[in-house]
Amino acid sequence: MELFIAYKNYSSWSLRPWLAMKVTGLAFEETIFPFYHDTSLTDFAKQEAIPASVPILKIDNQIVWDSMAIMEVLADTYPEANLWPEAKAWRALARSASAEMHSGFMGLRSQFPMNCRRQTKVNANTESLKDISRLAALWKKFYQADEVLSASRSEGPFLCGAFSIVDAMYAPVMWRIRNYGLFVSDEFDAWSEAMFALPAMQEWLRAAQAEEWDIAAYDSVE
Ligand SMILES: N[C@@H](CCC(=O)N[C@@H](CS)C(=O)NCC(=O)O)C(=O)O
């Protein structure tokens, strides 16, 4: 398998499947397309007739694009990796929240670009504040789940207990909240600490810190 991604420091969509694959032990090669600095991504996309965006996965000689599609194909191909929670009710909640991230949180995503190596303090605007209070409500759904869900929660500090795709989908939010000095809730902070401590997340951070590419627009957000 080969995963095509972009800058570890800045590419939030790249982080999602990369982290899911690392945490669940799926072996893969990776190729970086630094799309602000060369034409490797557009060249590849043209050749494969796919959108010029990362992540992209090559699996069994097939090209799969878009973060959610990639993680669904991986969950299909490697059921033993438990990429989705085992309990059906948790899978439904995890899928809902993953889809919500995939199509939403525009305020937070546009005001606070992921920037793993830069810590600064920026006040949230009205749209981002709405997203932050939505995150707090969402985290309550996972950590103060109703009786039916609680009975089938797996062990662990992540959204559904054990790590799953929904944690990968929100992984860039961990960097946004942490690195721009924002606060969601105590439940969010506990999740964030567990995410930050993942050896795979630390590996990603080290790689982001070692990268030579800079994107000035993202480094001057204030
Ligand atoms: N819906 C896509 C979004 C992918 C996306 O926007 N990726 C960004 C990088 S984080 C990208 O490739 N941008 C290319 C560009 O702006 O030229 C997914 O979930 O994979």
Side-chain angles (χ1 to χ4, degrees):
M1 270 194 297
E2 185 170 5
L3 185 67
F4 299 87
I5 58 173
Y7 313 91
K8 293 215 168 103
N9 192 48
Y10 305 106
S11 180
S12 58
W13 293 106
S14 298
L15 169 59
R16 293 168 167 105
W18 186 95
L19 189 71
M21 292 169 87
K22 284 277 172 176
V23 172
T24 58
L26 299 176
F28 63 98
E29 287 171 21
E30 67 183 60
T31 297
I32 296 195
F33 289 145
F35 59 82
Y36 272 85
H37 297 85
D38 69 26
T39 60
S40 53
L41 174 58
T42 45
D43 294 346
F44 185 86
K46 199 169 174 194
Q47 177 194 312
E48 299 293 341
I50 59 171
S53 69
V54 285
I56 302 159
L57 181 72
K58 189 170 187 183
I59 179 169
D60 300 331
N61 270 327
Q62 193 172 6
I63 293 290
V64 182
W65 64 97
D66 195 290
S67 56
M68 274 313 300
I70 290 170
M71 290 194 279
E72 286 289 8
V73 168
L74 290 169
D76 243 14
T77 312
Y78 301 102
E80 69 283 1
N82 294 318
L83 279 155
W84 286 118
E86 205 185 330
K88 194 175 171 195
W90 282 99
R91 282 205 302 281
L93 180 57
R95 283 198 160 103
S96 301
S98 297
E100 183 180 348
M101 167 47 74
H102 197 236
S103 61
F105 292 95
M106 297 306 180
L108 209 53
R109 279 165 48 196
S110 57
Q111 191 188 358
F112 300 109
M114 189 179 90
N115 194 331
C116 300
R117 58 178 181 242
R118 178 172 184 250
Q119 283 196 299
T120 183
K121 174 85 187 109
V122 177
N123 292 326
N125 64 25
T126 313
E127 287 309 303
S128 294
L129 284 173
K130 272 191 221 158
D131 285 348
I132 288 170
S133 75
R134 174 60 198 145
L135 282 174
L138 188 55
W139 256 241
K140 259 195 193 148
K141 274 182 114 51
F142 282 92
Y143 290 102
Q144 296 177 36
D146 64 26
E147 266 177 42
V148 178
L149 278 168
S150 299
S152 58
R153 187 184 172 88
S154 58
E155 284 294 312
F158 300 104
L159 284 163
C160 301
F163 181 94
S164 72
I165 287 173
V166 68
D167 298 293
M169 282 305 283
Y170 284 84
V173 170
M174 185 280 282
W175 287 113
R176 292 178 162 107
I177 299 297
R178 186 181 186 99
N179 281 7
Y180 291 100
L182 304 167
F183 177 76
V184 175
S185 66
D186 290 342
E187 282 160 345
F188 186 95
D189 276 354
W191 170 85
S192 177
E193 284 307 312
M195 291 291 285
F196 185 73
L198 282 167
M201 195 64 106
Q202 290 300 311
E203 184 184 335
W204 178 273
L205 176 59
R206 279 193 302 276
Q209 286 164 337
E211 274 176 352
E212 289 170 7
W213 300 290
D214 289 320
I215 303 175
Y218 295 153
D219 288 338
S220 55
V221 171
E222 50 185 38

